[in-house]
Amino acid sequence: MRRSLKQHGQYVAARLDELRKLQATGQDVTAAGRELAAYHHRETQSFQHERLIHLLVTFFFGALLVAALTGLVMLGLGDADTPATSSMFMVLSGGCLVVLVLEVFYVNHYYHLENGVQKL
C-alpha cells in the first residue's frame, strides 16, 4: 500500500510537470488536465475506501483485545486453584499477546495509510 501511494503521488506530480511544460509552450492542456484530475479522484477514492476498511479492522481488533484483556482479568480474579481455570488463563494470555501484536501492526499500517492519503 505504501508503494502504491508513493507511485501514485509520483505519477501525478510527473504528469502535472508535463502539463505545465506543455501549457508554457502555448498548447491547450484542458482535456489532459481533466483526465488527470478524474484519474486522481478515482485513485484517491480507492485509497480512502481502503483506509475506511483498515480503520474498521483496527477497531475490531482493538475491541477484541479489550474483550480478551477483560476476560483475562476476570479469570485472574477468580479461583486460580482449578486446573481448568489456569489452562484457560494461559490460552487467553497467549490470545491477548497475539491480538496485541496484530493490533500494533494494524495501527502502524493505518498510520502510514492515513498520512499517505492526506498527502495526496
Side-chain angles (χ1 to χ4, degrees):
M1 179 51 54
R2 291 182 201 173
R3 190 174 351 133
S4 297
L5 283 166
K6 186 177 178 180
Q7 286 174 348
H8 176 70
Q10 290 172 346
Y11 173 76
V12 169
R15 289 285 294 145
L16 283 173
D17 286 342
E18 289 174 14
L19 291 177
R20 283 187 196 113
K21 288 176 185 175
L22 288 176
Q23 189 177 25
T25 62
Q27 295 182 16
D28 185 25
V29 294
T30 306
R34 285 186 181 148
E35 181 183 318
L36 179 62
Y39 170 73
H40 178 65
H41 182 70
R42 280 192 311 271
E43 288 296 310
T44 303
Q45 281 183 328
S46 174
F47 288 131
Q48 286 177 340
H49 180 263
E50 183 149 348
R51 186 180 72 175
L52 174 65
I53 297 302
H54 280 286
L55 178 65
L56 294 174
V57 168
T58 302
F59 281 155
F60 172 74
F61 273 95
L64 193 61
L65 180 62
V66 168
L69 287 173
T70 302
L72 196 61
V73 168
M74 297 300 272
L75 271 176
L77 294 177
D79 185 20
D81 293 335
T82 61
T85 305
S86 63
S87 65
M88 198 133 153
F89 187 81
M90 294 300 285
V91 168
L92 204 50
S93 297
C96 280
L97 185 62
V98 168
V99 172
L100 178 65
V101 169
L102 283 172
E103 183 67 16
V104 167
F105 282 111
Y106 267 116
V107 167
N108 182 36
H109 179 73
Y110 183 74
Y111 171 79
H112 290 290
L113 182 61
E114 178 72 25
N115 287 339
V117 171
Q118 292 300 320
K119 187 186 283 187
L120 290 180

